[in-house]
Amino acid sequence: MAMELIPIGTILALVTNQVMKTAQAAKDVVIEKESFKVLSKHLFDIEPVLKELQLRQLNDSPAARLALEALEADVKKANNLVEKYKNRGRFYLLVKCRHIVHEVQEVTRDIGRSLAAFSIANTEVLSGISDQVNRLQSEMQKVEFKTSHSQLQIVDKLSQGLRDQKRDQCFANDMLEEIARAVGVPVEPSEISKELASFRREIEEAGNRKERAEVLFLEQVIELLSQADAARDHKEMKKQYFQRAQVIERYDTQKEYIPPLKPFKCRISGEVMVDPVSLCTGTTCERAAIEAWFDCGKKTDPDTGDVLEDSSLRSNLPLRQSIEEWRELNYCLKIRACQAKLSSGVDLKVEEALNQMQELIRENSINKDWISIGGLTDRIISILGSSHNREVRKKILITLKDMVEGHARNKEKVIEHQGFDYIVPCLGRDRSISMAAVELLYELLQDRSKWNVSFCCQLSQQSSAILFLVTLLKGPVRESADYAEKILNKLFDVDEENISRAAKSGWYKPLIDHIVQGWEILLCVLF
């Protein structure tokens, strides 16, 4: 029915109901509450104005109708905005907080402008409350919203991390914890998994809307956050690993690689796809490849050459899942091969296994967990204690550092398996081995952005640790000396006895500083 045929009083009643519905709903948005609360308050303040008009005879003029229809359209926009963000994932809402605040601000100002036009068209009717209406529409047109400072800090830190291409698990742990705390999500794998699943759906929807920049940004965020400990349910990872390990039992024990199926490869690049999308013709390509194809002005199917009537892309989720499963089966094949090589007792085989482990970790950080679940961490710690081969020991130290970097669970595993007993003696070896050992030791003692005091205390109990660290401190390798000094200073904090142990090992400065500080404190007390 055309709007001009609907009585203006009916339109007014509909707008009033829509205002109240939107005002109520705006109170329930979980992110940027303050902005939505202000919008809600203004809408609640509009209600008395509209109720007043319902009690009086509203001008049914073209100007009044246009103003009322404009107000109705803007309130609908506000309602759509509230509905758009009311049930979205909390992580996504935080990441988009700047954009959301801008949208809320603009829709509030639009309603203010429509209210001003509506007031002008009904000056006589609203004469009794003109001051109230003028104040309200003026406030709404001039409103300025700002994202909370704490949320902006998190978003800026995240964006800077992406620009710096930070991929370490420690940074991911910190970011995930900060984001979860800011949006009120418990830092537990079950809850985090739900939020990340919701975040992935946002990526798929953005991809379907052809928002390439949005997709790229969100993919970078999810890739980073997925590396955090809390983003992975350890029980589920163990279950998934053993499911894949069971599948590969049917393959020959010498097999280390399953070739990809033809459908796994992009029709344009020929590479195995990561984000496969389907064309209207059924042809599947890597999203980035087909988008670049279209950007070059090509409008044909890259496989058949047929002209495409529709260039829309649809995420091929079943194929992507199959590709991921194929990759995971290959991870398990390589882990199984590493197990056999490490058990062979042949140094060349052991080195080959260590190289493969490093490659697995670089390829996908989930392999930090799967390698450990597969028992390889325990095995290489044991070999570190028994091997007399210089290259083997060095590669084990480097591999262990890759394994534990930013990974709290793996650090605990190394310590539980008497890792210090085998790492500390390596500090006294040649330069390359001692460098690898002190770097690993430093990483083990880190707990995100702090020191792990418990691990520091355990290291302090190693009788030769102070001696070897002091030796490195005085040695010619600057990098080793820097790590050694940082570790020693922390060990002095956890146990003052370590200061005298360092002096007995030939480093007297901490002891002298300690004595001088003690005299200064005593003099202050006395005088």
Side-chain angles (χ1 to χ4, degrees):
M1 183 184 294
M3 291 292 287
E4 61 268 15
L5 300 179
I6 302 175
I8 196 167
T10 302
I11 300 175
L12 179 59
L14 290 172
V15 173
T16 304
N17 289 336
Q18 187 67 64
V19 165
M20 292 305 296
K21 174 187 172 185
T22 305
Q24 193 64 43
K27 291 164 52 179
D28 300 328
V29 181
V30 296
I31 294 296
E32 294 304 334
K33 289 183 179 181
E34 293 307 313
S35 298
F36 279 101
K37 277 183 179 178
V38 173
L39 171 61
S40 176
K41 179 183 179 301
H42 284 316
L43 290 172
F44 277 125
D45 288 344
I46 290 174
E47 187 215 7
V49 177
L50 301 180
K51 287 287 182 69
E52 184 74 17
L53 287 169
Q54 288 181 28
L55 294 174
R56 305 187 182 199
Q57 186 175 1
L58 184 63
N59 295 332
D60 192 354
S61 64
R65 277 185 172 271
L66 284 173
L68 185 56
E69 287 169 12
L71 179 61
E72 180 195 30
D74 287 332
V75 173
K76 278 185 178 179
K77 279 198 299 184
N79 185 68
N80 291 338
L81 188 64
V82 170
E83 291 300 318
K84 176 181 176 181
Y85 292 120
K86 187 170 66 173
N87 297 314
R88 305 290 277 272
R90 297 187 180 206
F91 284 11
Y92 172 78
L93 292 174
L94 177 63
V95 169
K96 297 287 292 180
C97 62
R98 269 197 180 93
H99 181 70
I100 293 170
V101 166
H102 178 72
E103 285 188 279
V104 179
Q105 176 176 286
E106 288 307 302
V107 78
T108 305
R109 289 178 175 179
D110 288 344
I111 293 173
R113 283 189 283 269
S114 294
L115 184 62
F118 188 58
S119 174
I120 293 171
N122 294 276
T123 303
E124 294 180 4
V125 181
L126 294 173
S127 58
I129 55 172
S130 59
D131 290 343
Q132 176 187 344
V133 176
N134 290 337
R135 175 188 57 78
L136 179 58
Q137 58 91 3
S138 177
E139 285 180 2
M140 293 184 75
Q141 289 184 71
K142 296 176 182 177
V143 71
E144 288 190 12
F145 295 145
K146 292 184 179 179
T147 305
S148 73
H149 181 64
S150 60
Q151 289 183 3
L152 281 180
Q153 281 186 315
I154 294 172
V155 173
D156 289 344
K157 181 179 177 181
L158 177 63
S159 299
Q160 187 62 50
L162 295 176
R163 285 193 293 272
D164 295 342
Q165 297 185 331
K166 287 194 174 183
R167 294 293 182 269
D168 60 282
Q169 203 163 16
C170 186
F171 181 74
N173 284 334
D174 287 341
M175 283 308 323
L176 188 64
E177 187 172 329
E178 288 184 36
I179 291 172
R181 191 187 304 119
V183 299
V185 173
V187 188
E188 298 175 359
S190 58
E191 295 298 323
I192 297 298
S193 294
K194 293 177 187 175
E195 287 299 324
L196 293 182
S198 173
F199 203 101
R200 288 186 179 93
R201 288 194 292 273
E202 297 292 350
I203 295 174
E204 291 168 12
E205 290 179 14
N208 293 333
R209 294 193 301 269
K210 300 183 180 181
E211 297 174 353
R212 190 187 309 171
E214 173 90 341
V215 169
L216 179 60
F217 174 69
L218 296 180
E219 282 180 341
Q220 290 175 326
V221 173
I222 198 75
E223 182 183 356
L224 173 63
L225 297 183
S226 295
Q227 296 185 55
D229 288 330
R232 294 170 175 167
D233 187 315
H234 193 58
K235 289 183 179 179
E236 283 299 314
M237 278 194 293
K238 285 181 71 173
K239 179 181 176 182
Q240 187 179 0
Y241 170 77
F242 286 117
Q243 284 175 342
R244 299 288 184 259
Q246 190 174 14
V247 172
I248 66 167
E249 287 179 2
R250 71 171 72 113
Y251 293 97
D252 185 275
T253 55
Q254 301 301 313
K255 193 175 187 65
E256 296 187 20
Y257 183 71
I258 305 169
L261 299 175
K262 185 178 178 181
F264 291 179
K265 295 183 178 181
C266 174
R267 298 299 189 273
I268 299 172
S269 68
E271 300 294 324
V272 175
M273 293 178 283
V274 176
D275 184 11
V277 291
S278 297
L279 302 171
C280 62
T281 56
T283 297
T284 305
C285 303
E286 177 66 39
R287 184 185 294 276
I290 190 62
E291 287 179 345
W293 178 273
F294 290 152
D295 286 346
C296 290
K298 299 175 182 178
K299 302 298 181 183
T300 56
D301 183 310
D303 189 32
T304 64
D306 296 336
V307 176
L308 295 170
E309 297 179 359
D310 179 7
S311 61
S312 61
L313 304 174
R314 178 173 53 84
S315 293
N316 193 326
L317 299 181
L319 179 59
R320 184 165 72 181
Q321 185 175 353
S322 295
I323 293 172
E324 288 175 357
E325 182 175 343
W326 164 78
R327 284 196 172 94
E328 290 170 357
L329 289 175
N330 275 314
Y331 296 156
C332 286
L333 280 173
K334 290 177 183 177
I335 290 172
R336 185 181 69 175
C338 288
Q339 291 168 339
K341 291 169 186 175
L342 291 174
S343 300
S344 69
V346 179
D347 287 342
L348 287 176
K349 291 286 187 182
V350 172
E351 288 186 52
E352 188 179 333
L354 293 167
N355 289 334
Q356 282 187 304
M357 290 169 66
Q358 292 174 28
E359 289 172 7
L360 283 166
I361 293 169
R362 285 193 292 269
E363 190 169 346
N364 192 324
S365 60
I366 194 176
N367 287 317
K368 287 188 178 185
D369 293 280
W370 281 15
I371 285 172
S372 184
I373 293 168
L376 301 190
T377 306
D378 311 348
R379 182 67 187 133
I380 63 174
I381 291 173
S382 175
I383 295 172
L384 179 63
S386 60
S387 177
H388 298 289
N389 184 293
R390 174 180 172 277
E391 281 303 313
V392 167
R393 286 199 300 266
K394 179 181 174 183
K395 282 185 181 293
I396 289 175
L397 293 167
I398 294 170
T399 304
L400 283 173
K401 182 176 181 291
D402 290 342
M403 285 285 297
V404 303
E405 194 164 19
H407 199 294
R409 191 178 297 109
N410 282 350
K411 289 181 182 181
E412 291 172 2
K413 196 173 186 68
V414 170
I415 304 301
E416 286 171 4
H417 284 79
Q418 288 76 50
F420 283 151
D421 292 345
Y422 304 128
I423 297 167
V424 169
C426 292
L427 296 171
R429 304 286 183 177
D430 64 50
R431 292 183 184 180
S432 62
I433 293 179
S434 61
M435 179 67 188
V438 76
E439 287 183 349
L440 169 58
L441 199 60
Y442 181 81
E443 181 59 39
L444 282 169
L445 298 176
Q446 302 307 301
D447 183 7
R448 300 188 183 179
S449 56
K450 318 184 288 292
W451 291 85
N452 188 312
V453 176
S454 174
F455 289 174
C456 288
C457 290
Q458 291 183 57
L459 176 63
S460 184
Q461 295 170 12
Q462 293 283 324
S463 58
S464 56
I466 300 293
L467 173 61
F468 285 137
L469 288 168
V470 169
T471 302
L472 286 178
L473 176 67
K474 293 184 171 185
V477 183
R478 186 68 259 161
E479 294 88 345
S480 296
D482 288 342
Y483 280 117
E485 184 173 6
K486 290 175 183 176
I487 295 171
L488 283 166
N489 284 327
K490 188 59 189 178
L491 294 184
F492 298 157
D493 289 341
V494 300
D495 187 353
E496 289 186 356
E497 284 295 316
N498 288 324
I499 297 176
S500 60
R501 293 183 186 124
K504 290 176 183 177
S505 299
W507 192 29
Y508 301 103
K509 184 178 183 301
L511 180 60
I512 294 170
D513 290 344
H514 187 66
I515 293 171
V516 171
Q517 185 180 23
W519 275 107
E520 288 176 348
I521 293 172
L522 179 60
L523 289 172
C524 287
V525 171
L526 293 174
F527 301 100

